[in-house]
Amino acid sequence: MHIGMRTIKTAVGTAAAMLIAYSLHLEYWAAAGIITILSVQNTTKASFRLVAYRLLATLLGFVIAIGAFLILGYNAFAFGVFLVIFIPITNVFAVQSGIVMTAVLVTHFMMAR
């Protein structure tokens, strides 16, 4: 069994993200670790590029989600409307890599109300 540098980066980054989120008293602190696992790329440059795309997608998604939930309530229908609006917008801004991560974070909003 070979443990490569990407494995080490993923493990250290995941643990660090979770510890930081926990120390900030975030309710879903474990999600920070999952997001880190999904974000580690082969190179540091590629990882930072992906983070930038996902941040933009997250900002767009949060604005859309807040509107959908305030207008339609915190329910599955509002989440579906959010996705119908959000996914095409990620295509416009070429930040499709942020769809899944943002959708998971938006479900946290929905569940927490």
Side-chain angles (χ1 to χ4, degrees):
M1 177 170 80
H2 173 73
I3 298 175
M5 193 51 134
R6 184 171 175 183
T7 301
I8 300 297
K9 288 190 309 187
T10 301
V12 171
T14 298
M18 292 171 82
L19 288 169
I20 291 167
Y22 183 81
S23 71
L24 293 171
H25 306 288
L26 298 178
E27 186 173 352
Y28 301 104
W29 56 269
I34 300 302
I35 291 168
T36 302
I37 292 169
L38 294 170
S39 299
V40 173
Q41 301 294 300
N42 287 330
T43 66
T44 302
K45 184 178 178 179
S47 293
F48 278 111
R49 184 180 311 117
L50 182 62
V51 167
Y53 293 157
R54 287 187 174 166
L55 279 173
L56 178 56
T58 301
L59 291 173
L60 293 167
F62 283 3
V63 169
I64 296 164
I66 290 167
F69 291 143
L70 288 176
I71 294 168
L72 302 170
Y74 292 85
N75 55 58
F77 177 74
F79 185 73
V81 169
F82 154 75
L83 289 174
V84 165
I85 298 168
F86 176 63
I87 292 172
I89 289 177
T90 63
N91 291 326
V92 169
F93 289 97
V95 292
Q96 300 91 329
S97 62
I99 292 172
V100 174
M101 184 197 71
T102 302
V104 170
L105 294 174
V106 167
T107 62
H108 293 172
F109 284 167
M110 184 177 68
M111 299 307 292
R113 295 182 179 237

